[in-house]
Structures are given as structure tokens and as C-alpha cells.
Amino acid sequence: MRIGVMGTGAMAAALGGAWGRAGHEVFVGGRDGAAAAALAGRIGAAGHGSPAAAAAYGEVALLAVPAGEAPALAREHAAALAGRTVVDCTNPLEPGPGGVMLSITPGQSVAALIGAAAPGAHVVKAFNLAHSSVWERPVGVFGPVPPAVPFCTDDAGAAGRVVELITGMGWSPMPAGGLDRAAYVEATAAFAIGVWWAGGSPRLAFPEALA
């Protein structure tokens, strides 16, 4: 697939690099042209340019910017994003007195706000539950069972493209419902990241029942 990465930060580098290694054609778009060029060179991208160029590049666009900026970026490029699969990997988080908290109205999600800002786009919430460094590691280091990537979307075509992206990285897709479920995935990130920052392991909180 042809993928336009909108952003030049850690998640843009990690996911763009992973997709490039999986054989996809990646284009890096950023407001800072020098940063976009540097990231494109680092991950072996097919090209680089502006966010507008990335939005119009291919079948898939990744919004890899701070959560508070993502809806506005989607609105700015809504015409170019129409008909495309738009992957939202953001987490709306802020520090609170007891740990990491959501920085969004309860029940809302950044993914839904992106969908409202670019109503012609096919938004998918995915890749937000692991630190950027995780996507850069060989999947075999996690054991014999491929780890899962939960994703939420209302569009079957977008789901198929994201499944291809996930499996091409060696991970396992985990359908988590429609975009109305994205708020739960974002809240799960707040919980998991809070546990990590406290020195714990969130996966230990989800043992599977014995058959």
C-alpha cells in the first residue's frame, strides 16, 4: 500500500519504519520540511513533503501528531482525506494528581472527533496501546504468540487495510468494534500507561480464564 504519514515524531518514525520494512511505500509529511526529510531518510521512505502531500498520497494516511492537534489537522485536509483510510494512533492524555488521565470529555474519543472533522474519511483507531519503541522491535521477542493490535472502525474496507498493516508487521489484529468503541480503547491506554509509569505490568491484569 501507499501510506502518507502525517507527522515526524516517535510514532511516525516507528510505524512508518515498520510499514516500510513490511514492503509498503511510505511518504512522510511534516510542517517542518527538514524534519520530514530527516525522518524519510532514516526510515527509507519513498518521499517527503508537506502534511497536505501526505494526506493526498495513498490509500492510507496516518495521523501521528499530538492528540489535541489531530482533529484540526484532519479538518484542514478533509478534502484530501475523503475516501481514504485514516489511522489515528493518538492518546488524549494528561498528568493528574493520581496518575495519567484522559484529557477529553468522558465518552468522547479523538477518533470520533477526527471522523467529524473529516466526514469523508474512513477513520480507524489503532496502534495506540503500545509505546513507540515497541513497534521497532522484532515481533518474536514477545514470545510464540503474536501480540494483538486492537482496532475500531465503521468501514469494512478500512478494517481490511489495517488488518493487512498489522499482519504484515507480524502482529495479530484484534477487532474491537465500531468507532463508537474507540473511547474505550483510548481509556485503556490511560490505564495501561499509568500502570507502566508506576512500574507495573498491565498485561498481568488480564489473565485468560481456563477452559
Side-chain angles (χ1 to χ4, degrees), residues 69-172:
E69 299 175 13
L73 185 65
R75 183 176 298 106
E76 181 181 353
H77 302 290
L81 294 174
R84 304 183 194 279
T85 296
V86 176
V87 178
D88 165 32
C89 67
T90 70
N91 280 315
L93 305 177
E94 62 185 6
V100 178
M101 302 291 291
L102 289 171
S103 59
I104 197 167
T105 302
Q108 281 190 339
S109 70
V110 177
L113 293 176
I114 290 169
H122 305 307
V123 180
V124 184
K125 187 75 193 188
F127 301 104
N128 69 307
L129 291 185
H131 188 268
S132 59
S133 63
V134 171
W135 309 115
E136 298 172 336
R137 302 177 68 187
V139 72
V141 304
F142 301 107
V145 179
V149 179
F151 67 91
C152 300
T153 185
D154 294 330
D155 184 81
R161 292 185 183 93
V162 168
V163 165
E164 183 178 345
L165 292 176
I166 293 168
T167 56
M169 298 164 64
W171 289 62
S172 174

